Amino acid sequence: MSPELVFPAVDLRPILPMLVIALTAGVVLVLDLLPPRERKDHLGFVSALGVVAALVVTYWMTFSTGGGELRGFRGMVVLDAYALFFNIVIGYATGLVLLLSMDYIRREGQESGEFYILVLLAALGMMLMAAAGDLIIVFLGLETMSISLYVLAGFFRTRVEAGEASMKYLLIGAFASGFFLYGIALIFGAAGTTNLDRIANAVAAGAGRDPLLVVGLGLLLVGFGFKISSVPFHMWAPDVYEGAPTSVTAFIATGSKAAAFAALLRVLLTAVRGAPADWPMLLWVVAALTMTVGNVVALAQQNLKRMLAYSSIAHVGYMLVGVVAGGAFGNGSVLFYLLVYTFTTAGAFGAILLLERAGQEAVRLDDFGGLASRHPLLAVALSVFLLSLVGIPPTAGFVGKFYLFGAAVKSGYVWLAVVGVLNSAVAAYYYLRLIVYMYMREPEGAPTVLAPSFSGALALAVALWGVVQLGVAPGPLFDLAQAAVVPLLR
Amino acid sequence: MAYLLTLVTFVPLVGAILVLLLPRRQEHVTKLVTLGTTLVTFVISLPVYFRFDPTSADYQFVEQRAWIPSLGVSYHVGVDGISVLLVLLTTFLMPLVLLSSWTSVESRWKEFAITMLLLETGMLGVFVALDLFLFYVFWEAMLIPMYLIIGIWGGPNRVYAAVKFILYTLAGSLLMLVAILFVYFQHGLATNTYTFDLPVLVRFVIPGGLTQDLLFLAFAVAFAIKVPMFPFHTWLPDAHVEAPTAGSVILAGVLLKMGTYGFLRFCLPLFPQASMTWAPWIFALSVIGIIYGAWVSTVQPDIKKLVAYSSVSHLGFVVLGLFTLTPQGMVGGIIQMVNHGLSTGALFLMVGMIYERRHTRLIADFGGLWKVIPAFSVLFLIVCLSSLGLPGLNGFVGEFLILLGTFQVHRLAAVLATSGIIFAAVYLLWMYQRVCFGEVTHEANRRLVDLTPREWAVLLPVLLFIVWIGVYPTTFTTMTEPSVQALITQVQTKAQATSALLMPRP
């Protein structure tokens, strides 16, 4: 008598958006083997279409489920409003990166189908992190994302900096994964489970005082700290950002950061909320340091990709202000800021990657001298993105910061908000310096030329739309972000 | 009429979009469209004056609609006696400024036009906004066009001046942002209605003591930088000297008024207790500014820099008047804001005209202009006299009222401030003497051309108002008096309520 095989009823709805991305990746993989083999444009378009489909599915699920949550795989995957909001962020990031990459990688002579597949797989990992209901799934998503990004960072094989970027990213990433995994092990030791909800129960039952859990949480925070590049775990960011292809840099800065924040917030809010550990005070210090170090070091940068790397560190600091503030308002503003930051940063990197000078990418400040008289539209677009990074109204960056610092003031962290706004004033100097170069200097030397790219222009238009629309009418999406975190706070 | 203010504020924005769509080669059309837009804006803004009810202290032409409802942010605009003149001053100066830039802006006229029009929307928005969020949006957004105007069309050291201008003002206003948020949440926690609406927030009594002092200082520093008050004035000479004529006129005529307007609209009604506590300090800084600005002006070799420092002196008078909390002082302060916009604006316009002819602004390079260009010299004399407060011209009215108000509350300040008027006569007349009287000392000056019809068209409207306000100021003072009276009453009752909160209970 053989034992009867019982197939559990598998509900695929909780992974529907991810499924769309995975299927697209599969389709692109097959299409890559079919002719035409010399041009790969269509692969980029198919990938972008897949992302659009995932976005549509996400929007549809957001409005059809009405705030309910779908759990699958024995609570390992949770597709709730929170995960769906992050799917939107990640979807926009991936879509923008794909559009920006198409002509760019051909221009650099590195066009291949693998690029698009890796971007899609990274996006899959990111979405998985956002929907993880279990630390193991967080780790699974983290690795899926990271390994794809390690390869993408070194995609321009012929460049020395690309090798450095990829190697550094891999080594430091592996290091971070080690911390992360060890943290999971310790938490498992203390709580007897890796499921976030059951950890919360164990914490409520008294495991929160277990030193094992406290140390485990600390190690998890270190792992997340690496991924979001907060001080003191930020050292890899400038080198990786500089060496990676610019569109991949944009992806690392937006998508991977959003995914890491998604998992970080979910762990902090659901699993260890009852733990007596004083993590808000710890994060207060980390936030203040991250903002300050990022902005001060960015002042000295001549290479735009490095400058934006330090600026992205500073922006992580601003977002941590929202995490410290906590509550629906604070965490909602972090979610909202991630969306704002995605449009802004993808746009800024996108504008930079469309330019080249003497066959090289134009990434140095003096490459932008007098750009406004040569390419007025691009200069205007880049200026809008920079002003959004400074936080000047009526761009999205202003509203985002307004919410973040508002949350800090609301929760009584007035001085953290003061540190934040003073940092914004420092940051204004280096963002505006690029505007000075574009508008107030004459071009010198070889001309900086604009590489024609329809998909790139489309990406910039989408990013510009996002920055302006979220700046002028932020209400609906902020309400969505806030509604997404409310269920986690129960 | 409900849309009137919205129309006035956003017509320049529409004009900017229109100019953006024009082809670059059509420079003449661009100029006409730009000038046309500002003229239309001025004409549309006239009903704000004519239909304004001068007997009422309430906000008029009010429009309010929800903007970000979850946060209590609304699009709320309106004018009262305090802001109505400033709105008109802005729409009045803009066409003149553009006309003055007709030939002096040599490159990128299209971009210049767009930037100026965006600036106009920003400035008007600041004066009509009655919601703190909306106000802050306009307040900050307006920095960028001014930054570009100084940085792109300015003099040799323009980049330094532009960056200094924006960093100074940004640093100040960011602290104000935190204070705005703090007031918002204080009010929200106390009343359970979260709103940025100014008329609602001013009814809320913020506990006195350290909290209110810090909030007051956060707002006051932002406004003091903008005014600029001593010792926050160092960005002003750089910005003025490097800015093109249009930038200088708008900077002096309108932008500096935002600081004084901010004191009136926000600091006094929101933090009455702290305003009274800090008033002696403000008096001291104002008097220092008046005398210091005048002294530094006296020794400037550059006419434009002289006029720039004179602004520090003149705006010291304005702030002095506002913080007296007497009807005379405050009405004088408001009238003096307009006067300074007209007189100093005209001074900058005329300095720009002479610079366009000779490409120098050094006093030593001129002399004997009266013989060469008499019409220019006569008008220049009138403008100088109006700026130094000659009775019969506008400057006298404002300064007299301010000193009258100050004398009632602080005699020493009034006495010291009066010396500023004497010093003003010294630096302006001495400069005028060296520029216009005597023999023609430089050959290059013999060939100067007198005012062109376009330049007459720029200056005559300003002169009209300089004389009008000087002879019959009642036209304008009556509009402001009810609002000022209401503001004083409100500040005093609220300050008492704040003190009552601090009193130990029996």
Side-chain angles (χ1 to χ4, degrees), chain B residues 106-171:
Chain B
E106 284 155 359
S107 64
R108 300 199 235 172
W109 226 95
K110 183 175 163 181
E111 283 88 344
F112 178 75
I114 295 172
T115 328
M116 286 301 276
L117 291 172
L118 291 178
L119 183 64
E120 186 174 11
T121 291
M123 294 187 300
L124 289 169
V126 166
F127 290 133
V128 300
L130 293 180
D131 180 284
L132 279 173
F133 186 92
L134 185 67
F135 163 76
Y136 192 81
V137 165
F138 281 123
W139 171 272
E140 288 258 280
M142 174 223 74
L143 291 180
I144 299 299
M146 197 65 218
Y147 165 74
L148 293 175
I149 285 170
I150 300 173
I152 300 179
W153 293 278
N157 205 7
R158 58 185 189 273
V159 173
Y160 170 76
V163 171
K164 192 168 176 181
F165 161 76
I166 199 161
L167 287 185
Y168 247 86
T169 32
L170 201 62

Side-chain angles (χ1 to χ4, degrees), chain A residues 183 186-187 190-191 199 202-203 207-218 272 275-276:
Chain A
L186 291 184
I187 290 176
I199 294 174
V203 166
R209 280 187 298 279
D210 192 336
L212 268 187
L213 187 117
V214 176
V215 175
L217 176 64
V272 296

Side-chain angles (χ1 to χ4, degrees), chain B residues 6-218:
Chain B
T6 305
L7 210 59
V8 172
T9 311
F10 289 102
V11 162
L13 181 69
V14 175
I17 296 169
L18 214 62
V19 171
L20 183 70
L21 299 175
L22 288 173
R24 185 171 299 277
R25 272 165 294 151
Q26 303 280 355
E27 193 174 292
H28 202 67
V29 180
T30 310
K31 287 180 178 176
L32 289 177
V33 169
T34 316
L35 183 64
T37 308
T38 53
L39 282 173
V40 166
T41 313
F42 178 59
V43 171
I44 300 175
S45 72
L46 284 177
V48 178
Y49 176 82
F50 288 113
R51 300 200 179 193
F52 187 85
D53 174 10
T55 57
S56 160
D58 291 334
Y59 293 112
Q60 303 182 28
F61 311 104
V62 172
E63 187 183 349
Q64 185 168 24
R65 53 190 75 235
W67 181 14
I68 311 174
S70 58
L71 217 56
V73 175
S74 61
Y75 175 80
H76 189 182
V77 294
V79 289
D80 65 355
I82 293 168
S83 50
V84 63
L85 290 180
L86 294 170
V87 170
L88 288 161
L89 178 71
T90 310
T91 56
F92 170 73
L93 281 178
M94 275 313 274
L96 303 180
V97 161
L98 283 168
L99 207 55
S100 80
S101 315
W102 215 249
T103 51
S104 62
V105 170
E106 284 155 359
S107 64
R108 300 199 235 172
W109 226 95
K110 183 175 163 181
E111 283 88 344
F112 178 75
I114 295 172
T115 328
M116 286 301 276
L117 291 172
L118 291 178
L119 183 64
E120 186 174 11
T121 291
M123 294 187 300
L124 289 169
V126 166
F127 290 133
V128 300
L130 293 180
D131 180 284
L132 279 173
F133 186 92
L134 185 67
F135 163 76
Y136 192 81
V137 165
F138 281 123
W139 171 272
E140 288 258 280
M142 174 223 74
L143 291 180
I144 299 299
M146 197 65 218
Y147 165 74
L148 293 175
I149 285 170
I150 300 173
I152 300 179
W153 293 278
N157 205 7
R158 58 185 189 273
V159 173
Y160 170 76
V163 171
K164 192 168 176 181
F165 161 76
I166 199 161
L167 287 185
Y168 247 86
T169 32
L170 201 62
S173 47
L174 282 166
L175 284 176
M176 179 169 76
L177 177 65
V178 179
I180 289 177
L181 287 165
F182 195 88
V183 172
Y184 167 76
F185 284 113
Q186 281 267 312
H187 175 259
L189 284 174
T191 63
N192 216 16
T193 32
Y194 287 88
T195 178
F196 283 99
D197 200 43
L198 184 66
V200 176
L201 287 175
V202 292
R203 285 200 292 274
F204 172 60
V205 180
I206 296 164
L210 184 66
T211 318
Q212 201 182 108
D213 283 356
L214 284 176
L215 290 172
F216 170 79
L217 286 179

